[in-house]
Amino acid sequence: MTRLSRHRAASLLQAMKGARVVVLGDVMLDRYLSGRVDRISPEAPVPVLRVEEERMSPGGAANVAVNVAALGGKVRLLGVVGTDPAAGELTQLLQSLDVEPEGLVPVDGRCTTVKTRVLAQGQQVVRVDREEHGAIPAQAAAALLKGVSQALEGADVLILEDYNKGVMTPQVIRGCLEAAARGGIATVVDPKRDHFFLYAGCTVFKPNAKELEGALGEALRPDDAQWMEACRSRLNTSSLLLTLGSQGMALQTNENLHVRVPALAREVYDVSGAGDTVSATVALALAAGATLMEATLLANQAASLEVAKAGVATVSPQELLDAL
């Protein structure tokens, strides 16, 4: 099966409503400065942006949580923020988007991750990052593990979002996977290279092509079922879902299912946040009773809609149905 019928998609999207999802990972605040450039600075050979609009949106694991809420899921978000104004801005944004922010742990002396994108005439010209990569303190890790243990009670699925900003320490990774396993809860992991082989035992391991190639140190062969199965086995995950950008996705399961899903033809405006949309859609679909194949097909459709939008964006159930 390489297609998902509109009727089946409608059934899954209905079942997604109210599904309980826990998201833990590196949260961020995305800030956008948009305007026009019509002159060069007399101070240096750089363009001068006349700001016409400034907006903010949740990023990283926070964006995954917002995507879950936009698709009708009930989400609990856990992560770490600083004790700075950006933390307050992020909290207010999350509340306005139906995401519970109570699981965010403030850490003194640590800044909230903020990515500022500057856009001129709709094109990104520079991005400014304010962030820390060091591992979070042991007390913060303990608070997160206590929070995730409580949040998983009655939950349907756990999403772990690793952006290599210090939250996903070996202690946190191990504790989250063990807690989910005890509760029989599926886990969807979006990894970063530093911790690739620490997520053994997860349900769905979702790296992108660059991450997997770097971790394995070899060229990818997503069309080769034997190679994909070797990768899945080496990573010790139930399913390997490899995202390939403009080339779609490749799925390999422990039931010897190998499928290549081509990308859907759409005008690509901005790829920011596409991976977050995939994580959210796959997790919610599994919670709704979808097969891994169905979850992948639905996520592929959702990603094609997301990249056609400017900046980090979400996709609604109605948009998905209309696209199908």
Side-chain angles (χ1 to χ4, degrees), residues 95-112:
Q95 290 173 332
S96 70
L97 295 168
D98 298 322
V99 175
E100 299 178 19
E102 289 81 4
L104 298 182
V105 177
V107 177
D108 287 334
R110 191 180 185 92
C111 70
T112 302

Side-chain angles (χ1 to χ4, degrees), residues 243-267:
T243 57
L244 299 162
S246 62
Q247 297 180 39
M249 304 180 188
L251 172 67
Q252 182 71 36
T253 75
N254 60 357
E255 297 176 344
N256 207 30
L257 172 67
H258 172 256
V259 180
R260 278 287 278 112
V261 181
L264 298 173
R266 288 185 183 275
E267 181 179 356

Side-chain angles (χ1 to χ4, degrees), residues 77-88:
L77 174 66
L78 297 101
V80 163
V81 293
T83 52
D84 48 15

Side-chain angles (χ1 to χ4, degrees), residues 29 60 92 99 117 136 249 263 324:
L29 178 66
Q92 290 180 354
V99 175
R117 296 173 174 87
I136 59 173
M249 304 180 188
L324 289 165

Side-chain angles (χ1 to χ4, degrees), residues 110-130:
R110 191 180 185 92
C111 70
T112 302
T113 299
V114 179
K115 293 185 177 181
T116 301
R117 296 173 174 87
V118 180
L119 297 90
Q121 280 90 348
Q123 299 296 317
Q124 186 175 157
V125 294
V126 68
R127 194 180 86 183
V128 181
D129 291 358
R130 180 174 180 264

Side-chain angles (χ1 to χ4, degrees), residues 122-197:
Q123 299 296 317
Q124 186 175 157
V125 294
V126 68
R127 194 180 86 183
V128 181
D129 291 358
R130 180 174 180 264
E131 61 187 16
E132 294 184 28
H133 293 273
I136 59 173
Q139 285 185 331
L144 285 179
L145 288 176
K146 180 180 179 180
V148 78
S149 180
Q150 295 172 344
L152 285 177
E153 295 180 7
D156 298 302
V157 63
L158 169 65
I159 304 176
L160 299 179
E161 287 289 325
D162 190 346
Y163 293 88
N164 201 30
K165 308 300 180 190
V167 166
M168 303 308 296
T169 64
Q171 175 192 1
V172 170
I173 293 170
R174 184 171 58 253
C176 286
L177 291 177
E178 289 175 352
R182 285 194 300 270
I185 296 170
T187 48
V188 176
V189 173
D190 192 348
K192 275 292 179 286
R193 179 178 172 179
D194 287 0
H195 300 140
F196 242 65
F197 298 99

Side-chain angles (χ1 to χ4, degrees), residues 185-220:
I185 296 170
T187 48
V188 176
V189 173
D190 192 348
K192 275 292 179 286
R193 179 178 172 179
D194 287 0
H195 300 140
F196 242 65
F197 298 99
L198 297 182
Y199 291 101
C202 69
T203 308
V204 180
F205 191 73
K206 188 196 73 67
N208 62 36
K210 182 179 179 181
E211 291 164 347
L212 185 60
E213 194 169 51
L216 298 180
E218 60 180 280
L220 302 184

Side-chain angles (χ1 to χ4, degrees), residues 235-300:
L235 293 164
N236 193 15
T237 176
S238 295
S239 301
L240 171 62
L241 179 58
L242 175 60
T243 57
L244 299 162
S246 62
Q247 297 180 39
M249 304 180 188
L251 172 67
Q252 182 71 36
T253 75
N254 60 357
E255 297 176 344
N256 207 30
L257 172 67
H258 172 256
V259 180
R260 278 287 278 112
V261 181
L264 298 173
R266 288 185 183 275
E267 181 179 356
V268 176
Y269 188 89
D270 191 338
V271 298
S272 301
D276 298 340
T277 299
V278 171
S279 294
T281 308
V282 167
L284 266 177
L286 292 178
T291 65
L292 276 166
M293 167 62 85
E294 291 173 331
T296 300
L297 293 173
L298 199 59
N300 192 48

